[in-house]
mmCIF file of all heavy atoms in Angstrom:
data_model
loop_
_atom_site.group_PDB
_atom_site.id
_atom_site.type_symbol
_atom_site.label_atom_id
_atom_site.label_comp_id
_atom_site.label_asym_id
_atom_site.label_seq_id
_atom_site.Cartn_x
_atom_site.Cartn_y
_atom_site.Cartn_z
ATOM 1 N N LEU A 1 -11.943 0.697 4.352
ATOM 2 C CA LEU A 1 -12.779 1.197 3.257
ATOM 3 C C LEU A 1 -14.260 0.986 3.563
ATOM 4 O O LEU A 1 -15.099 1.849 3.260
ATOM 5 C CB LEU A 1 -12.403 0.489 1.951
ATOM 6 C CG LEU A 1 -13.149 0.935 0.694
ATOM 7 C CD1 LEU A 1 -12.981 2.428 0.453
ATOM 8 C CD2 LEU A 1 -12.651 0.139 -0.518
ATOM 9 N N LYS A 2 -14.601 -0.120 4.200
ATOM 10 C CA LYS A 2 -16.001 -0.401 4.528
ATOM 11 C C LYS A 2 -16.559 0.571 5.559
ATOM 12 O O LYS A 2 -17.733 0.920 5.522
ATOM 13 C CB LYS A 2 -16.140 -1.836 5.041
ATOM 14 C CG LYS A 2 -16.019 -2.897 3.958
ATOM 15 C CD LYS A 2 -16.214 -4.284 4.541
ATOM 16 C CE LYS A 2 -16.113 -5.350 3.452
ATOM 17 N NZ LYS A 2 -16.271 -6.722 4.012
ATOM 18 N N ARG A 3 -15.697 1.015 6.488
ATOM 19 C CA ARG A 3 -16.192 1.890 7.558
ATOM 20 C C ARG A 3 -16.053 3.374 7.234
ATOM 21 O O ARG A 3 -16.639 4.204 7.915
ATOM 22 C CB ARG A 3 -15.470 1.581 8.867
ATOM 23 C CG ARG A 3 -13.989 1.895 8.864
ATOM 24 C CD ARG A 3 -13.361 1.720 10.237
ATOM 25 N NE ARG A 3 -13.755 2.785 11.152
ATOM 26 C CZ ARG A 3 -13.177 2.985 12.332
ATOM 27 N NH1 ARG A 3 -12.224 2.179 12.741
ATOM 28 N NH2 ARG A 3 -13.570 3.975 13.094
ATOM 29 N N GLU A 4 -15.292 3.719 6.194
ATOM 30 C CA GLU A 4 -15.053 5.130 5.885
ATOM 31 C C GLU A 4 -16.278 5.749 5.215
ATOM 32 O O GLU A 4 -16.732 5.292 4.169
ATOM 33 C CB GLU A 4 -13.830 5.267 4.968
ATOM 34 C CG GLU A 4 -13.449 6.708 4.671
ATOM 35 C CD GLU A 4 -13.220 7.517 5.928
ATOM 36 O OE1 GLU A 4 -12.146 7.364 6.539
ATOM 37 O OE2 GLU A 4 -14.144 8.290 6.292
ATOM 38 N N GLU A 5 -16.806 6.811 5.814
ATOM 39 C CA GLU A 5 -17.995 7.493 5.294
ATOM 40 C C GLU A 5 -17.649 8.764 4.534
ATOM 41 O O GLU A 5 -18.472 9.271 3.771
ATOM 42 C CB GLU A 5 -18.960 7.819 6.441
ATOM 43 C CG GLU A 5 -19.499 6.571 7.143
ATOM 44 C CD GLU A 5 -20.439 6.907 8.281
ATOM 45 O OE1 GLU A 5 -20.592 8.127 8.578
ATOM 46 O OE2 GLU A 5 -21.018 5.981 8.873
ATOM 47 N N ASN A 6 -16.449 9.275 4.734
ATOM 48 C CA ASN A 6 -16.021 10.469 4.014
ATOM 49 C C ASN A 6 -15.718 10.087 2.561
ATOM 50 O O ASN A 6 -14.874 9.225 2.297
ATOM 51 C CB ASN A 6 -14.781 11.060 4.699
ATOM 52 C CG ASN A 6 -14.267 12.311 4.016
ATOM 53 O OD1 ASN A 6 -13.842 12.274 2.865
ATOM 54 N ND2 ASN A 6 -14.285 13.424 4.744
ATOM 55 N N GLU A 7 -16.407 10.708 1.617
ATOM 56 C CA GLU A 7 -16.289 10.328 0.210
ATOM 57 C C GLU A 7 -14.867 10.499 -0.322
ATOM 58 O O GLU A 7 -14.346 9.627 -1.039
ATOM 59 C CB GLU A 7 -17.260 11.165 -0.625
ATOM 60 C CG GLU A 7 -17.291 10.791 -2.087
ATOM 61 C CD GLU A 7 -18.318 11.591 -2.865
ATOM 62 O OE1 GLU A 7 -19.201 12.215 -2.232
ATOM 63 O OE2 GLU A 7 -18.226 11.616 -4.118
ATOM 64 N N ASN A 8 -14.233 11.612 0.006
ATOM 65 C CA ASN A 8 -12.874 11.853 -0.485
ATOM 66 C C ASN A 8 -11.877 10.866 0.118
ATOM 67 O O ASN A 8 -10.982 10.359 -0.574
ATOM 68 C CB ASN A 8 -12.448 13.287 -0.160
ATOM 69 C CG ASN A 8 -13.203 14.314 -0.977
ATOM 70 O OD1 ASN A 8 -13.648 14.034 -2.081
ATOM 71 N ND2 ASN A 8 -13.354 15.508 -0.423
ATOM 72 N N ALA A 9 -12.024 10.601 1.414
ATOM 73 C CA ALA A 9 -11.118 9.666 2.075
ATOM 74 C C ALA A 9 -11.319 8.249 1.536
ATOM 75 O O ALA A 9 -10.350 7.511 1.357
ATOM 76 C CB ALA A 9 -11.339 9.705 3.587
ATOM 77 N N ALA A 10 -12.560 7.870 1.290
ATOM 78 C CA ALA A 10 -12.837 6.542 0.732
ATOM 79 C C ALA A 10 -12.211 6.404 -0.657
ATOM 80 O O ALA A 10 -11.663 5.354 -1.006
ATOM 81 C CB ALA A 10 -14.340 6.300 0.670
ATOM 82 N N TRP A 11 -12.290 7.460 -1.448
ATOM 83 C CA TRP A 11 -11.669 7.464 -2.789
ATOM 84 C C TRP A 11 -10.162 7.254 -2.668
ATOM 85 O O TRP A 11 -9.572 6.485 -3.433
ATOM 86 C CB TRP A 11 -11.971 8.793 -3.478
ATOM 87 C CG TRP A 11 -11.185 9.043 -4.727
ATOM 88 C CD1 TRP A 11 -11.365 8.468 -5.940
ATOM 89 C CD2 TRP A 11 -10.102 9.977 -4.878
ATOM 90 N NE1 TRP A 11 -10.453 8.967 -6.850
ATOM 91 C CE2 TRP A 11 -9.658 9.899 -6.224
ATOM 92 C CE3 TRP A 11 -9.471 10.868 -4.016
ATOM 93 C CZ2 TRP A 11 -8.613 10.678 -6.706
ATOM 94 C CZ3 TRP A 11 -8.428 11.643 -4.502
ATOM 95 C CH2 TRP A 11 -8.009 11.533 -5.837
ATOM 96 N N MET A 12 -9.539 7.904 -1.676
ATOM 97 C CA MET A 12 -8.105 7.752 -1.493
ATOM 98 C C MET A 12 -7.752 6.336 -1.033
ATOM 99 O O MET A 12 -6.753 5.751 -1.482
ATOM 100 C CB MET A 12 -7.590 8.778 -0.477
ATOM 101 C CG MET A 12 -6.084 8.758 -0.285
ATOM 102 S SD MET A 12 -5.154 8.870 -1.837
ATOM 103 C CE MET A 12 -5.710 10.484 -2.430
ATOM 104 N N LEU A 13 -8.557 5.752 -0.149
ATOM 105 C CA LEU A 13 -8.312 4.383 0.287
ATOM 106 C C LEU A 13 -8.386 3.419 -0.894
ATOM 107 O O LEU A 13 -7.583 2.483 -0.995
ATOM 108 C CB LEU A 13 -9.335 3.977 1.352
ATOM 109 C CG LEU A 13 -9.120 4.575 2.751
ATOM 110 C CD1 LEU A 13 -10.312 4.261 3.641
ATOM 111 C CD2 LEU A 13 -7.841 4.040 3.390
ATOM 112 N N LYS A 14 -9.322 3.645 -1.798
ATOM 113 C CA LYS A 14 -9.429 2.800 -2.990
ATOM 114 C C LYS A 14 -8.161 2.902 -3.841
ATOM 115 O O LYS A 14 -7.679 1.899 -4.363
ATOM 116 C CB LYS A 14 -10.643 3.206 -3.823
ATOM 117 C CG LYS A 14 -11.982 2.850 -3.206
ATOM 118 C CD LYS A 14 -13.130 3.331 -4.074
ATOM 119 C CE LYS A 14 -14.472 3.028 -3.439
ATOM 120 N NZ LYS A 14 -15.604 3.554 -4.251
ATOM 121 N N LEU A 15 -7.620 4.114 -3.963
ATOM 122 C CA LEU A 15 -6.390 4.300 -4.740
ATOM 123 C C LEU A 15 -5.204 3.598 -4.077
ATOM 124 O O LEU A 15 -4.363 3.006 -4.759
ATOM 125 C CB LEU A 15 -6.090 5.794 -4.904
ATOM 126 C CG LEU A 15 -7.009 6.587 -5.825
ATOM 127 C CD1 LEU A 15 -6.548 8.042 -5.889
ATOM 128 C CD2 LEU A 15 -7.041 5.987 -7.224
ATOM 129 N N ILE A 16 -5.122 3.667 -2.747
ATOM 130 C CA ILE A 16 -4.028 2.998 -2.031
ATOM 131 C C ILE A 16 -4.112 1.489 -2.235
ATOM 132 O O ILE A 16 -3.102 0.819 -2.480
ATOM 133 C CB ILE A 16 -4.085 3.352 -0.522
ATOM 134 C CG1 ILE A 16 -3.759 4.837 -0.314
ATOM 135 C CG2 ILE A 16 -3.110 2.481 0.268
ATOM 136 C CD1 ILE A 16 -3.975 5.326 1.104
ATOM 137 N N ILE A 17 -5.321 0.944 -2.141
ATOM 138 C CA ILE A 17 -5.527 -0.494 -2.342
ATOM 139 C C ILE A 17 -5.167 -0.885 -3.774
ATOM 140 O O ILE A 17 -4.513 -1.907 -4.011
ATOM 141 C CB ILE A 17 -6.981 -0.878 -2.007
ATOM 142 C CG1 ILE A 17 -7.240 -0.707 -0.504
ATOM 143 C CG2 ILE A 17 -7.284 -2.305 -2.459
ATOM 144 C CD1 ILE A 17 -8.703 -0.817 -0.107
ATOM 145 N N GLU A 18 -5.566 -0.073 -4.732
ATOM 146 C CA GLU A 18 -5.272 -0.371 -6.137
ATOM 147 C C GLU A 18 -3.774 -0.246 -6.416
ATOM 148 O O GLU A 18 -3.208 -1.055 -7.174
ATOM 149 C CB GLU A 18 -6.047 0.591 -7.043
ATOM 150 C CG GLU A 18 -5.871 0.343 -8.531
ATOM 151 C CD GLU A 18 -6.404 -0.996 -8.996
ATOM 152 O OE1 GLU A 18 -7.252 -1.581 -8.283
ATOM 153 O OE2 GLU A 18 -5.974 -1.465 -10.069
ATOM 154 N N ASN A 19 -3.133 0.728 -5.808
ATOM 155 C CA ASN A 19 -1.684 0.894 -5.961
ATOM 156 C C ASN A 19 -0.952 -0.359 -5.506
ATOM 157 O O ASN A 19 -0.013 -0.832 -6.164
ATOM 158 C CB ASN A 19 -1.212 2.107 -5.152
ATOM 159 C CG ASN A 19 0.288 2.311 -5.214
ATOM 160 O OD1 ASN A 19 0.831 2.715 -6.226
ATOM 161 N ND2 ASN A 19 0.976 2.031 -4.108
ATOM 162 N N GLU A 20 -1.388 -0.939 -4.376
ATOM 163 C CA GLU A 20 -0.736 -2.146 -3.863
ATOM 164 C C GLU A 20 -0.965 -3.334 -4.786
ATOM 165 O O GLU A 20 -0.061 -4.151 -4.998
ATOM 166 C CB GLU A 20 -1.250 -2.455 -2.461
ATOM 167 C CG GLU A 20 -0.410 -3.484 -1.711
ATOM 168 C CD GLU A 20 -0.874 -4.920 -1.913
ATOM 169 O OE1 GLU A 20 -2.019 -5.121 -2.376
ATOM 170 O OE2 GLU A 20 -0.096 -5.845 -1.607
ATOM 171 N N LYS A 21 -2.152 -3.437 -5.354
ATOM 172 C CA LYS A 21 -2.443 -4.530 -6.284
ATOM 173 C C LYS A 21 -1.512 -4.472 -7.496
ATOM 174 O O LYS A 21 -0.953 -5.491 -7.921
ATOM 175 C CB LYS A 21 -3.897 -4.461 -6.755
ATOM 176 C CG LYS A 21 -4.920 -4.902 -5.733
ATOM 177 C CD LYS A 21 -6.321 -4.816 -6.328
ATOM 178 C CE LYS A 21 -7.383 -5.245 -5.325
ATOM 179 N NZ LYS A 21 -8.753 -5.134 -5.891
ATOM 180 N N ILE A 22 -1.343 -3.276 -8.040
ATOM 181 C CA ILE A 22 -0.477 -3.109 -9.218
ATOM 182 C C ILE A 22 0.979 -3.385 -8.851
ATOM 183 O O ILE A 22 1.700 -4.085 -9.576
ATOM 184 C CB ILE A 22 -0.630 -1.690 -9.790
ATOM 185 C CG1 ILE A 22 -2.053 -1.491 -10.333
ATOM 186 C CG2 ILE A 22 0.399 -1.426 -10.892
ATOM 187 C CD1 ILE A 22 -2.377 -0.062 -10.700
ATOM 188 N N ALA A 23 1.423 -2.826 -7.704
ATOM 189 C CA ALA A 23 2.814 -3.021 -7.276
ATOM 190 C C ALA A 23 3.113 -4.499 -7.054
ATOM 191 O O ALA A 23 4.165 -5.000 -7.465
ATOM 192 C CB ALA A 23 3.070 -2.230 -5.996
ATOM 193 N N ARG A 24 2.177 -5.203 -6.426
ATOM 194 C CA ARG A 24 2.391 -6.628 -6.146
ATOM 195 C C ARG A 24 2.419 -7.446 -7.435
ATOM 196 O O ARG A 24 3.256 -8.340 -7.598
ATOM 197 C CB ARG A 24 1.270 -7.117 -5.227
ATOM 198 C CG ARG A 24 1.289 -8.595 -4.917
ATOM 199 C CD ARG A 24 0.458 -8.912 -3.666
ATOM 200 N NE ARG A 24 -0.714 -8.081 -3.556
ATOM 201 C CZ ARG A 24 -1.955 -8.459 -3.893
ATOM 202 N NH1 ARG A 24 -2.159 -9.661 -4.410
ATOM 203 N NH2 ARG A 24 -2.982 -7.644 -3.720
ATOM 204 N N LYS A 25 1.519 -7.144 -8.355
ATOM 205 C CA LYS A 25 1.452 -7.894 -9.609
ATOM 206 C C LYS A 25 2.673 -7.655 -10.480
ATOM 207 O O LYS A 25 3.238 -8.590 -11.064
ATOM 208 C CB LYS A 25 0.187 -7.506 -10.373
ATOM 209 C CG LYS A 25 0.014 -8.249 -11.690
ATOM 210 C CD LYS A 25 -1.269 -7.821 -12.391
ATOM 211 C CE LYS A 25 -1.427 -8.535 -13.727
ATOM 212 N NZ LYS A 25 -2.676 -8.123 -14.425
ATOM 213 N N GLU A 26 3.108 -6.406 -10.573
ATOM 214 C CA GLU A 26 4.201 -6.044 -11.475
ATOM 215 C C GLU A 26 5.556 -5.973 -10.774
ATOM 216 O O GLU A 26 6.557 -5.638 -11.408
ATOM 217 C CB GLU A 26 3.892 -4.709 -12.145
ATOM 218 C CG GLU A 26 2.605 -4.741 -12.972
ATOM 219 C CD GLU A 26 2.370 -3.456 -13.739
ATOM 220 O OE1 GLU A 26 3.253 -2.562 -13.690
ATOM 221 O OE2 GLU A 26 1.306 -3.335 -14.365
ATOM 222 N N LYS A 27 5.563 -6.271 -9.455
ATOM 223 C CA LYS A 27 6.792 -6.206 -8.644
ATOM 224 C C LYS A 27 7.472 -4.840 -8.766
ATOM 225 O O LYS A 27 8.676 -4.722 -9.029
ATOM 226 C CB LYS A 27 7.761 -7.325 -9.030
ATOM 227 C CG LYS A 27 7.308 -8.702 -8.552
ATOM 228 C CD LYS A 27 8.365 -9.753 -8.799
ATOM 229 C CE LYS A 27 8.068 -11.051 -8.071
ATOM 230 N NZ LYS A 27 6.705 -11.584 -8.269
ATOM 231 N N ARG A 28 6.663 -3.812 -8.550
ATOM 232 C CA ARG A 28 7.156 -2.434 -8.530
ATOM 233 C C ARG A 28 7.101 -1.902 -7.104
ATOM 234 O O ARG A 28 6.219 -2.273 -6.328
ATOM 235 C CB ARG A 28 6.318 -1.542 -9.448
ATOM 236 C CG ARG A 28 6.410 -1.927 -10.924
ATOM 237 C CD ARG A 28 5.510 -1.026 -11.758
ATOM 238 N NE ARG A 28 5.558 -1.378 -13.177
ATOM 239 C CZ ARG A 28 6.427 -0.895 -14.028
ATOM 240 N NH1 ARG A 28 7.341 -0.028 -13.617
ATOM 241 N NH2 ARG A 28 6.413 -1.253 -15.297
ATOM 242 N N PRO A 29 8.014 -1.009 -6.729
ATOM 243 C CA PRO A 29 8.009 -0.474 -5.362
ATOM 244 C C PRO A 29 6.681 0.205 -5.010
ATOM 245 O O PRO A 29 6.085 0.893 -5.837
ATOM 246 C CB PRO A 29 9.157 0.538 -5.375
ATOM 247 C CG PRO A 29 10.065 0.068 -6.466
ATOM 248 C CD PRO A 29 9.161 -0.509 -7.512
ATOM 249 N N LEU A 30 6.246 0.012 -3.771
ATOM 250 C CA LEU A 30 5.013 0.642 -3.292
ATOM 251 C C LEU A 30 5.144 2.161 -3.239
ATOM 252 O O LEU A 30 4.152 2.873 -3.344
ATOM 253 C CB LEU A 30 4.678 0.118 -1.895
ATOM 254 C CG LEU A 30 4.123 -1.299 -1.810
ATOM 255 C CD1 LEU A 30 4.218 -1.808 -0.374
ATOM 256 C CD2 LEU A 30 2.684 -1.332 -2.300
ATOM 257 N N CYS A 31 6.366 2.637 -3.062
ATOM 258 C CA CYS A 31 6.602 4.074 -2.914
ATOM 259 C C CYS A 31 7.919 4.431 -3.586
ATOM 260 O O CYS A 31 8.841 3.608 -3.658
ATOM 261 C CB CYS A 31 6.643 4.435 -1.428
ATOM 262 S SG CYS A 31 7.006 6.183 -1.093
ATOM 263 N N ASP A 32 8.015 5.659 -4.072
ATOM 264 C CA ASP A 32 9.254 6.131 -4.694
ATOM 265 C C ASP A 32 10.415 6.110 -3.706
ATOM 266 O O ASP A 32 11.562 5.850 -4.085
ATOM 267 C CB ASP A 32 9.050 7.550 -5.242
ATOM 268 C CG ASP A 32 10.327 8.132 -5.809
ATOM 269 O OD1 ASP A 32 10.833 7.565 -6.795
ATOM 270 O OD2 ASP A 32 10.820 9.128 -5.264
ATOM 271 N N ASP A 33 10.133 6.384 -2.413
ATOM 272 C CA ASP A 33 11.151 6.238 -1.377
ATOM 273 C C ASP A 33 11.204 4.757 -1.023
ATOM 274 O O ASP A 33 10.411 4.260 -0.220
ATOM 275 C CB ASP A 33 10.782 7.069 -0.151
ATOM 276 C CG ASP A 33 11.811 6.948 0.965
ATOM 277 O OD1 ASP A 33 12.757 6.141 0.835
ATOM 278 O OD2 ASP A 33 11.657 7.650 1.987
ATOM 279 N N THR A 34 12.115 4.028 -1.641
ATOM 280 C CA THR A 34 12.150 2.579 -1.475
ATOM 281 C C THR A 34 12.703 2.132 -0.129
ATOM 282 O O THR A 34 12.617 0.960 0.219
ATOM 283 C CB THR A 34 12.971 1.925 -2.609
ATOM 284 O OG1 THR A 34 14.217 2.610 -2.741
ATOM 285 C CG2 THR A 34 12.209 2.005 -3.922
ATOM 286 N N GLY A 35 13.259 3.055 0.640
ATOM 287 C CA GLY A 35 13.598 2.762 2.020
ATOM 288 C C GLY A 35 14.996 2.216 2.254
ATOM 289 O O GLY A 35 15.732 1.867 1.338
ATOM 290 N N ILE A 36 15.339 2.159 3.527
ATOM 291 C CA ILE A 36 16.615 1.620 3.990
ATOM 292 C C ILE A 36 16.362 0.221 4.554
ATOM 293 O O ILE A 36 15.513 0.055 5.435
ATOM 294 C CB ILE A 36 17.222 2.500 5.102
ATOM 295 C CG1 ILE A 36 17.289 3.974 4.665
ATOM 296 C CG2 ILE A 36 18.592 1.970 5.511
ATOM 297 C CD1 ILE A 36 18.156 4.237 3.474
ATOM 298 N N PRO A 37 17.081 -0.815 4.060
ATOM 299 C CA PRO A 37 16.845 -2.160 4.579
ATOM 300 C C PRO A 37 17.350 -2.331 6.008
ATOM 301 O O PRO A 37 18.473 -1.931 6.328
ATOM 302 C CB PRO A 37 17.626 -3.061 3.603
ATOM 303 C CG PRO A 37 18.631 -2.170 2.955
ATOM 304 C CD PRO A 37 18.074 -0.791 2.964
ATOM 305 N N HIS A 38 16.503 -2.875 6.858
ATOM 306 C CA HIS A 38 16.854 -3.231 8.233
ATOM 307 C C HIS A 38 16.615 -4.724 8.413
ATOM 308 O O HIS A 38 15.644 -5.261 7.867
ATOM 309 C CB HIS A 38 16.010 -2.445 9.242
ATOM 310 C CG HIS A 38 16.402 -1.010 9.373
ATOM 311 N ND1 HIS A 38 16.379 -0.123 8.316
ATOM 312 C CD2 HIS A 38 16.828 -0.297 10.452
ATOM 313 C CE1 HIS A 38 16.773 1.072 8.742
ATOM 314 N NE2 HIS A 38 17.056 0.991 10.021
ATOM 315 N N VAL A 39 17.460 -5.377 9.177
ATOM 316 C CA VAL A 39 17.388 -6.836 9.330
ATOM 317 C C VAL A 39 17.307 -7.206 10.804
ATOM 318 O O VAL A 39 18.105 -6.737 11.620
ATOM 319 C CB VAL A 39 18.613 -7.523 8.696
ATOM 320 C CG1 VAL A 39 18.547 -9.039 8.901
ATOM 321 C CG2 VAL A 39 18.718 -7.190 7.216
ATOM 322 N N ILE A 40 16.336 -8.043 11.137
ATOM 323 C CA ILE A 40 16.221 -8.633 12.465
ATOM 324 C C ILE A 40 16.352 -10.145 12.297
ATOM 325 O O ILE A 40 15.634 -10.750 11.491
ATOM 326 C CB ILE A 40 14.865 -8.299 13.126
ATOM 327 C CG1 ILE A 40 14.687 -6.781 13.265
ATOM 328 C CG2 ILE A 40 14.760 -8.973 14.493
ATOM 329 C CD1 ILE A 40 13.318 -6.386 13.774
ATOM 330 N N ILE A 41 17.253 -10.753 13.054
ATOM 331 C CA ILE A 41 17.461 -12.201 12.993
ATOM 332 C C ILE A 41 17.091 -12.804 14.341
ATOM 333 O O ILE A 41 17.599 -12.372 15.386
ATOM 334 C CB ILE A 41 18.923 -12.537 12.651
ATOM 335 C CG1 ILE A 41 19.340 -11.857 11.345
ATOM 336 C CG2 ILE A 41 19.115 -14.054 12.546
ATOM 337 C CD1 ILE A 41 20.825 -11.941 11.060
ATOM 338 N N GLU A 42 16.191 -13.769 14.329
ATOM 339 C CA GLU A 42 15.782 -14.471 15.543
ATOM 340 C C GLU A 42 16.199 -15.941 15.419
ATOM 341 O O GLU A 42 15.731 -16.641 14.520
ATOM 342 C CB GLU A 42 14.277 -14.355 15.746
ATOM 343 C CG GLU A 42 13.812 -12.912 15.958
ATOM 344 C CD GLU A 42 12.318 -12.760 16.027
ATOM 345 O OE1 GLU A 42 11.609 -13.525 15.337
ATOM 346 O OE2 GLU A 42 11.853 -11.874 16.773
ATOM 347 N N ILE A 43 17.076 -16.381 16.320
ATOM 348 C CA ILE A 43 17.656 -17.723 16.239
ATOM 349 C C ILE A 43 17.151 -18.575 17.394
ATOM 350 O O ILE A 43 17.275 -18.189 18.562
ATOM 351 C CB ILE A 43 19.193 -17.655 16.266
ATOM 352 C CG1 ILE A 43 19.710 -16.770 15.125
ATOM 353 C CG2 ILE A 43 19.795 -19.047 16.182
ATOM 354 C CD1 ILE A 43 21.210 -16.539 15.151
ATOM 355 N N GLY A 44 16.580 -19.725 17.073
ATOM 356 C CA GLY A 44 16.146 -20.655 18.103
ATOM 357 C C GLY A 44 17.320 -21.117 18.948
ATOM 358 O O GLY A 44 18.421 -21.345 18.437
#
């Protein structure tokens, strides 16, 4: 956001950042496509 000079793109970056703040606070999915869970296990 600090380096973006395009006004429209900067506006969109602000919305993406705000979307994440709301999702994190209210524990709502970041996107309507909630995705397929994948698991990686690393064992010492």
Side-chain angles (χ1 to χ4, degrees):
L1 182 57
K2 286 182 179 179
R3 66 173 287 191
E4 184 55 77
E5 297 179 355
N6 180 296
E7 184 177 344
N8 290 332
W11 169 74
M12 184 52 61
L13 285 171
K14 289 178 182 177
L15 289 181
I16 292 172
I17 293 170
E18 182 64 21
N19 178 72
E20 194 269 344
K21 285 181 180 179
I22 294 170
R24 176 161 36 100
K25 181 180 179 180
E26 300 185 4
K27 287 187 168 50
R28 296 178 181 272
L30 286 164
C31 177
D32 176 63
D33 180 354
T34 49
I36 308 298
H38 286 60
V39 178
I40 300 174
I41 304 170
E42 297 174 327
I43 303 175

